[in-house]
Amino acid sequence: MSNQKKPTDYAKVVRIQIPSNPRFVSHTRNYFFNLCLEHGFSLFDSLDLKLVIGEAIVNIIRHAYSGNTGKPIFIEFQFDKDRVEIRLRDYGKKVEPGELRSFDLSDYREHGIGLFMIKELTDYYFLDQSFEVGNQMVLIKRK
């Protein structure tokens, strides 16, 4: 059995870059919502994913870039027949694990419900901090 990773089908990959400006959140959410519908996700799953992508972008702007509106956010959507994989990459501050809010709603601290919603509305969530600079959030949602 081979451990080789199967090659990426770039016909199913969409990559965009947006500035870390809140005015681009709505445009990106709507674009992704329409992509989800076009790739066979239900209306409800598409709405969930629209909410998730918005929360993830806002978290990058707020926490990784401390509100700076001129930094890049790289977003990749890879659609397969049964799922979508979303990768959001920033080059901002690494988030300290102790600063992450709990995934328990009883641990609500004025802000922090965004990560709870991301975890609840996706099938897989991972914050990759293995980069020398910045973070990458990986999200998977199955149909």
Side-chain angles (χ1 to χ4, degrees), residues 55-66:
E55 288 296 326
I57 294 169
V58 167
N59 281 345
I60 291 170
I61 294 169
R62 206 178 269 156
H63 301 293
Y65 289 138
S66 301

Side-chain angles (χ1 to χ4, degrees), residues 62-112:
R62 206 178 269 156
H63 301 293
Y65 289 138
S66 301
N68 186 325
T69 59
K71 300 291 185 177
I73 300 172
F74 297 92
I75 307 169
E76 178 179 292
F77 310 111
Q78 183 170 343
F79 291 93
D80 290 318
K81 66 179 182 178
D82 64 338
R83 70 184 195 151
V84 62
E85 182 173 321
I86 308 155
R87 294 178 180 270
L88 297 104
R89 177 79 164 95
D90 67 69
Y91 292 86
K93 294 186 302 190
K94 291 190 183 293
V95 179
E96 293 297 323
E99 293 176 10
L100 291 175
R101 303 301 191 253
S102 168
F103 290 124
D104 178 4
L105 278 182
S106 65
D107 187 25
Y108 181 71
R109 308 177 207 172
E110 191 173 328
H111 298 290

Side-chain angles (χ1 to χ4, degrees), residues 17-79:
Q17 175 187 339
I18 62 170
S20 57
N21 190 315
R23 74 175 207 221
F24 289 94
V25 175
S26 178
H27 299 296
T28 307
R29 290 174 65 217
N30 290 332
Y31 178 62
F32 183 53
F33 170 75
N34 288 316
L35 281 175
C36 290
L37 289 175
E38 289 173 14
H39 283 87
F41 281 87
S42 71
L43 176 62
F44 293 112
D45 282 345
S46 297
L47 287 168
D48 287 350
L49 287 165
K50 179 180 178 178
L51 181 62
V52 163
I53 197 77
E55 288 296 326
I57 294 169
V58 167
N59 281 345
I60 291 170
I61 294 169
R62 206 178 269 156
H63 301 293
Y65 289 138
S66 301
N68 186 325
T69 59
K71 300 291 185 177
I73 300 172
F74 297 92
I75 307 169
E76 178 179 292
F77 310 111
Q78 183 170 343
F79 291 93

Side-chain angles (χ1 to χ4, degrees), residues 110-121:
E110 191 173 328
H111 298 290
I113 200 165
L115 276 180
F116 174 81
M117 290 187 333
I118 289 170
K119 181 181 180 282
E120 289 298 309
L121 298 176

Side-chain angles (χ1 to χ4, degrees), residues 1-6:
M1 184 168 197
S2 173
N3 282 339
Q4 290 182 339
K5 185 178 172 184
K6 75 176 189 176

